[in-house]
């Protein structure tokens, strides 16, 4: 008898972007920069920003509601909710609990996962393990970040790069489609190059931490860029090669959206044409944990993939943390 190995398959997607748009011209009113500089160095044209009172849990909830509506999913069926984020509404309770309450997922458990830009990919891997082990049948993985809550809008090195948003996917078991392979890494020697120092247990919030602006993102962009270009390209290539995927075999490459030039380098390494690469950094900038699920949601909304297509997802971010995943697309069109 033929042995089939269970896979975790993405069967539904949803997304939420706040309404307010901040263009590069808007950013140029806040810091010394220009539309031309931002576009040529990063590929970004505009980004979204939450309204006062709106945050990660609201965006996550809206992304899951969008998914539930598209897929006709009953919240009672959800087993687990994983929220990848570095900007939870509060230190506790976890965002997953508040999303569970908002959508009335009465049979679910869940947790938050913090791995910066790699959070969603690590969340997919974790959710997939629950599916493949047979312990769960419906796992929601959300990537959501309210980057505007930790950005210093006086620092041109960082504030132009990020935006707010959320995306969600549903993982279900499948014998044919879903996640085939992945390679994930973390290396804390890169920790100093991209960090938020204040507000954690080492430097709890105090007048001093606020005065010294320790609650904002700090980045040595040049160093992170150097590692990201190599890291994302190498790991994507490694996963493609060991699955015997040449450029033409890959229907779509879905990379983390931090910088168009980093994406281009990875795509070149994989031997891909522009039409094989998912890009939306121009409209949303870097939404940290949310870039990949928002991309996946847009791919499915536009029916950009067919059942059985080969997809490579990859990421690089703070930690350093990075990784790539190979999956066979198994989502019905217009689900
Ligand atoms: O998702 C998390 C992982 N993060 C990343 O992957 C980000 C990686 N880093 C990058 O994407 C790029 O390094 C940046 C987009 C952040 C910067 O681009 P760059 O080509 O590396 O520029 P740079 O840092 O070398 O700066 C070049 C110049 C500097 O001026 P000088 O020293 O040459 O006079 C900067 O001060 O550009 C200046 N600059 C700006 N100018 C206008 C820096 N930020 C800006 C700005 N507008 N916003």
């Amino acid at each position: 008898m033929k042995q089939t190995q269970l896979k975790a398959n993405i069967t539904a997607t949803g997304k939420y972007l706040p309404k307010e748009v901040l263009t590069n011209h808007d950013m140029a009113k806040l810091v010394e920069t220009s539309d031309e500089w931002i576009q040529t160095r990063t590929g970004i044209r505009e980004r979204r920003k939450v309204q006062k009172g709106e945050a990660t849990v609201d965006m996550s909830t809206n992304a899951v509601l969008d998914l539930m509506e598209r897929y006709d999913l009953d919240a009672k069926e959800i087993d687990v909710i994983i929220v990848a984020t570095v900007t939870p509404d509060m230190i506790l309770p976890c965002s997953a609990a508040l999303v569970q309450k908002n959508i009335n997922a009465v049979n679910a458990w869940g947790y938050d996962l913090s791995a910066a830009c790699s959070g969603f990919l690590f969340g997919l891997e974790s959710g997939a393990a629950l599916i493949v082990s047979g312990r769960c049948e419906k796992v929601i993985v959300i990537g959501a970040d309210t980057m505007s809550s930790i950005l210093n809008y006086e620092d041109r090195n960082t504030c132009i790069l990020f935006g707010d948003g959320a995306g969600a996917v549903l993982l279900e078991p499948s014998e044919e489609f879903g996640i085939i392979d992945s390679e994930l890494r973390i290396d804390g020697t890169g920790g100093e190059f991209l960090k938020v120092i204040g507000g954690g247990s080492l430097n709890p919030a105090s007048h001093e931490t606020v005065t010294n602006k320790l609650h904002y993102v700090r980045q040595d962009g040049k160093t992170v860029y150097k590692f990201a270009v190599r890291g994302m390209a190498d790991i994507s290539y490694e996963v493609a090669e060991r699955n015997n995927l040449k450029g033409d075999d890959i229907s779509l490459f879905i990379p983390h959206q931090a910088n168009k030039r980093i994406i281009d380098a990875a795509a070149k390494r994989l031997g891909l044409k522009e039409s094989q690469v998912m890009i939306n950094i121009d409209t949303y900038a870097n939404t940290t944990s949310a870039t990949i699920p928002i991309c996946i949601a847009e791919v499915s909304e536009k029916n950009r993939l067919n059942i059985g297509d080969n997809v490579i997802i990859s990421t690089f971010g703070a930690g350093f943390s990075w990784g790539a995943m190979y999956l066979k697309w198994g989502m019905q069109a217009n689900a």
Side-chain angles (χ1 to χ4, degrees):
M1 202 167 75
K2 194 175 162 232
Q3 284 262 305
T4 46
Q5 205 191 344
L6 214 54
K7 297 175 189 57
N9 185 27
I10 295 174
T11 52
T13 65
K15 71 176 197 307
Y16 174 80
L17 278 312
K19 304 234 166 347
E20 189 185 346
V21 176
L22 283 181
T23 65
N24 289 347
H25 297 291
D26 294 326
M27 301 310 290
K29 290 178 198 148
L30 301 174
V31 289
E32 203 181 320
T33 189
S34 67
D35 177 49
E36 201 263 331
W37 191 95
I38 300 174
Q39 286 215 41
T40 45
R41 301 286 177 130
T42 69
I44 298 166
R45 276 192 298 114
E46 57 189 47
R47 72 283 293 138
R48 302 295 178 94
K49 186 167 185 274
V50 292
Q51 298 296 314
K52 202 169 169 31
E54 187 180 36
T56 296
V57 169
D58 296 319
M59 293 198 294
S60 302
T61 301
N62 286 330
V64 180
L65 290 176
D66 180 40
L67 177 155
M68 286 168 59
E69 200 180 301
R70 287 171 189 280
Y71 188 72
D72 204 14
L73 175 72
D74 184 341
K76 285 195 216 59
E77 297 173 60
I78 298 170
D79 297 314
V80 184
I81 300 168
I82 301 171
V83 180
T85 187
V86 290
T87 51
D89 278 25
M90 294 174 253
I91 289 174
L92 55 98
C94 65
S95 306
L98 301 174
V99 173
Q100 177 278 333
K101 179 194 73 160
N102 288 348
I103 63 170
N104 202 23
V106 289
N107 295 310
W109 63 282
Y111 55 95
D112 288 9
L113 189 159
S114 169
C117 300
S118 302
F120 179 78
L121 202 66
F122 291 8
L124 267 189
E125 179 84 354
S126 312
L130 294 169
I131 297 276
V132 170
S133 66
R135 296 182 79 91
C136 299
E137 295 210 325
K138 284 187 168 50
V139 177
I140 293 279
V141 185
I142 300 166
D145 268 308
T146 312
M147 294 306 290
S148 60
S149 68
I150 54 169
L151 287 177
N152 178 358
Y153 284 96
E154 292 174 352
D155 175 13
R156 70 176 184 176
N157 291 301
T158 52
C159 73
I160 56 116
L161 298 171
F162 297 94
D164 300 337
V169 304
L170 173 66
L171 290 175
E172 291 185 276
S174 164
E175 289 182 355
E176 285 174 285
F177 307 113
I179 298 164
I180 309 280
D181 190 15
S182 62
E183 185 67 37
L184 308 170
R185 308 261 174 78
I186 195 157
D187 177 0
T189 58
E192 65 186 287
F193 303 114
L194 178 49
K195 58 188 175 184
V196 177
I197 305 164
S201 57
L202 183 61
N203 298 293
S206 67
H207 288 295
E208 200 189 336
T209 58
V210 174
T211 306
N212 292 328
K213 301 184 164 79
L214 299 188
H215 301 84
Y216 294 132
V217 172
R218 287 158 190 240
Q219 176 173 237
D220 173 348
K222 234 189 228 321
T223 305
V224 177
Y225 182 88
K226 209 171 70 188
F227 280 93
V229 160
R230 267 250 330 255
M232 203 161 90
D234 283 355
I235 207 153
S236 305
Y237 184 81
E238 187 181 332
V239 168
E241 197 195 26
R242 74 175 178 220
N243 288 284
N244 300 314
L245 298 172
K246 304 265 177 293
D248 287 346
D249 303 321
I250 299 167
S251 299
L252 198 63
F253 176 51
I254 305 180
H256 170 55
Q257 312 278 311
N259 187 318
K260 173 80 163 46
R261 292 184 290 148
I262 298 173
I263 296 172
D264 289 346
K268 190 170 168 205
R269 186 82 196 283
L270 290 170
L272 303 177
K273 298 188 281 287
E274 217 170 300
S275 60
Q276 292 167 284
V277 185
M278 174 64 200
I279 290 176
N280 62 14
I281 188 172
D282 50 333
T283 44
Y284 306 134
N286 182 352
T287 52
T288 306
S289 311
T291 61
I292 292 170
I294 292 172
C295 282
I296 295 174
E298 294 199 329
V299 163
S300 78
E301 278 167 29
K302 292 174 186 157
N303 288 330
R304 237 181 120 167
L305 288 168
N306 297 310
I307 299 275
D309 278 354
N310 294 318
V311 177
I312 300 276
I313 303 176
S314 84
T315 190
F316 190 95
F320 293 134
S321 59
W322 70 110
M325 187 176 272
Y326 162 43
L327 58 89
K328 271 204 177 291
W329 187 252
M331 188 171 152
Q332 299 297 333
N334 293 318

